[in-house]
Amino acid sequence: MAIYDGALQDLIDELGQLPGIGPKSAQRIAFYLLAADKDRVDALASAIQIVKDKVHFCEVCGNVAEAELCRICADPRRSDDIICVVEEPKDVAAIERTREFRGRYHVLGGAIDPINGVGPGDLRIQDLMTRLTTSDVSEVIIATDPNIEGEATAAYLARMLRGLEVPVSRLASGLPVGGDLEYADEVTLGRAFEGRRRL
Amino acid sequence: MAIYDGALQDLIDELGQLPGIGPKSAQRIAFYLLAADKDRVDALASAIQIVKDKVHFCEVCGNVAEAELCRICADPRRSDDIICVVEEPKDVAAIERTREFRGRYHVLGGAIDPINGVGPGDLRIQDLMTRLTTSDVSEVIIATDPNIEGEATAAYLARMLRGLEVPVSRLASGLPVGGDLEYADEVTLGRAFEGRRRL
């Protein structure tokens, strides 16, 4: 349904392919850019291209990085003996925001998801094994998502790591802080019972 | 809260300034672009810049255009004697989708909105007056939005056009087709009564 002239319609089409952007939002953003200062628009266009040229993945942990190592792997103040395994770089960002963890990360690049054709070989699991056998790590925390794919990945990793004699832990499941017990789903509430702690 | 390295964070910041894009969506889009093919990303970046270079506003009606005239003003098959007055180019697109209207448009570039400092002088009203006095128009349809600003603009235009002896009409207000009477707001239902038609 090309309603507009060429260039504007092209932009709306391109924007509409971004995740979470429907045709209405695409149109809204396109008109916003049409009315915006040239500097703002150039800044956006170049930020898009620079990210593609400059950002790649850390050689050690698989997090996003502009140098050979990511900011966290390059930081000498962080502890080498705990590795937290996550699915995606955005999970690293989420955990960093808590300021609770001062170790290193390992980013798998996804989770095991047979329906979408993602098997263990598509994830950075072999790299993790190599990393664990060549360095002195006292704990591996598995922080994959608490959904079907993340749990399957956690179970697979736990099995793989059993031979290495490294203690492996999994993030706690339970009631979200600030939430209402009444509105918790059964599975979460069940997990909260299961993982109850003595006071 | 800069969580990522430079270029990625710059892109997230730029995307977060677009209308309707919050920090979470900005992060999601940024990671999508990071993982996307270089061609796709270049296409988006260049679509953004091309729109800024090539698209401007039609000299006659104020719609978006790549040439001197927009597609509609340049189309010889459209009728010159009805002009439909709208607020924005996206309203032109909305009306075009109905395929009900075969005349020309006049895009005001907004609506009278004193709270945000938009007065009649900021809109293309003078251009409309000139256009109506220099050509032979048999009807002006005012299709500004059915909200406070749009109604105020319609009332102002109706007053301005009174001297020109051109019939002026306003789009009907009433119940949306496919809607439920029960869920219509009072104002809309009131308008539907007021504008009732004999069968």
Side-chain angles (χ1 to χ4, degrees):
Chain A
M1 230 182 18
I3 291 295
Y4 298 105
D5 281 347
L8 188 59
Q9 190 63 44
D10 288 348
L11 177 58
I12 293 172
D13 292 344
E14 288 292 339
L15 291 169
Q17 289 183 40
L18 298 176
I21 308 281
K24 287 270 172 183
S25 310
Q27 179 181 294
R28 190 169 163 213
I29 294 172
F31 276 107
Y32 167 86
L33 291 172
L34 194 57
D37 286 345
K38 179 127 182 62
D39 291 355
R40 280 274 307 108
V41 173
D42 289 345
L44 174 63
S46 76
I48 290 171
Q49 280 177 314
I50 288 171
V51 109
K52 210 57 196 166
D53 294 336
K54 279 177 72 174
V55 180
H56 43 259
F57 296 99
C58 174
E59 288 191 357
V60 173
C61 77
N63 189 13
V64 285
E66 289 193 18
E68 212 169 279
L69 296 183
C70 74
R71 249 181 9 179
I72 291 162
C73 286
D75 186 344
R77 291 164 306 174
R78 304 201 51 137
S79 154
D80 279 319
D81 59 332
I82 305 192
I83 292 183
C84 178
V85 181
V86 296
E87 293 179 18
E88 302 285 354
K90 50 192 164 219
D91 301 325
V92 172
I95 294 173
E96 285 298 289
R97 278 193 289 266
T98 68
R99 299 176 187 276
E100 290 279 342
F101 180 67
R102 299 301 298 161
R104 310 280 181 185
Y105 290 93
H106 192 84
V107 181
L108 296 173
I112 296 173
D113 182 3
I115 294 169
N116 290 308
V118 183
D122 300 312
L123 306 175
R124 297 181 65 256
I125 293 176
Q126 199 48 55
D127 290 1
L128 174 65
M129 301 306 285
T130 313
R131 205 173 154 192
L132 290 173
T133 43
T134 55
S135 62
D136 205 17
V137 172
S138 67
E139 185 179 358
V140 175
I141 303 174
I142 302 180
T144 52
D145 286 340
N147 55 22
I148 295 178
E149 293 79 20
E151 296 289 1
T153 310
Y156 180 87
L157 283 176
R159 211 164 51 236
M160 292 289 284
L161 298 175
R162 208 165 286 156
L164 295 182
E165 290 181 13
V166 180
V168 177
S169 60
R170 175 98 177 94
L171 290 192
S173 281
L175 299 174
V177 177
D180 259 10
L181 197 136
E182 182 185 355
Y183 298 124
D185 64 286
E186 307 92 283
V187 182
T188 301
L189 195 52
R191 288 284 182 87
F193 265 94
E194 213 178 283
R196 67 190 179 277
R197 298 198 303 174
R198 201 171 274 278
L199 294 177
Chain B
M1 232 185 14
I3 290 291
Y4 297 104
D5 282 348
L8 188 58
Q9 189 64 45
D10 289 348
L11 177 58
I12 293 173
D13 293 344
E14 288 292 340
L15 291 169
Q17 290 182 41
L18 298 176
I21 307 283
K24 287 269 171 182
S25 311
Q27 179 181 293
R28 190 169 163 214
I29 295 170
F31 275 107
Y32 168 86
L33 291 172
L34 195 57
D37 285 347
K38 179 124 184 64
D39 290 354
R40 279 274 308 109
V41 172
D42 288 344
L44 174 63
S46 76
I48 289 171
Q49 280 178 316
I50 288 170
V51 110
K52 207 60 196 167
D53 294 337
K54 279 177 73 174
V55 181
H56 43 260
F57 296 99
C58 174
E59 287 191 357
V60 173
C61 77
N63 189 13
V64 285
E66 289 193 20
E68 213 168 279
L69 297 182
C70 74
R71 246 176 16 174
I72 292 162
C73 287
D75 185 344
R77 290 163 306 172
R78 303 201 53 137
S79 152
D80 279 319
D81 59 332
I82 304 193
I83 291 184
C84 178
V85 181
V86 296
E87 294 180 18
E88 304 284 356
K90 50 192 163 219
D91 301 326
V92 172
I95 294 172
E96 285 298 289
R97 277 193 290 264
T98 70
R99 300 175 185 276
E100 290 280 343
F101 180 67
R102 299 301 299 161
R104 311 279 182 184
Y105 290 93
H106 191 85
V107 181
L108 296 172
I112 296 173
D113 183 4
I115 294 171
N116 291 307
V118 182
D122 300 311
L123 305 177
R124 298 181 66 256
I125 293 176
Q126 200 46 56
D127 290 0
L128 174 65
M129 301 305 286
T130 313
R131 205 173 154 192
L132 290 173
T133 43
T134 54
S135 61
D136 205 18
V137 172
S138 67
E139 184 178 0
V140 174
I141 302 174
I142 303 180
T144 53
D145 286 339
N147 56 21
I148 294 177
E149 294 78 21
E151 295 288 2
T153 309
Y156 180 88
L157 283 176
R159 209 162 54 236
M160 292 290 285
L161 297 175
R162 208 164 287 155
L164 295 183
E165 292 181 12
V166 180
V168 177
S169 60
R170 174 98 178 96
L171 289 193
S173 282
L175 298 174
V177 177
D180 259 11
L181 198 138
E182 181 185 357
Y183 298 124
D185 64 287
E186 305 92 285
V187 182
T188 301
L189 195 50
R191 287 283 182 87
F193 265 94
E194 214 178 281
R196 68 190 178 278
R197 298 197 303 174
R198 201 171 275 276
L199 293 177

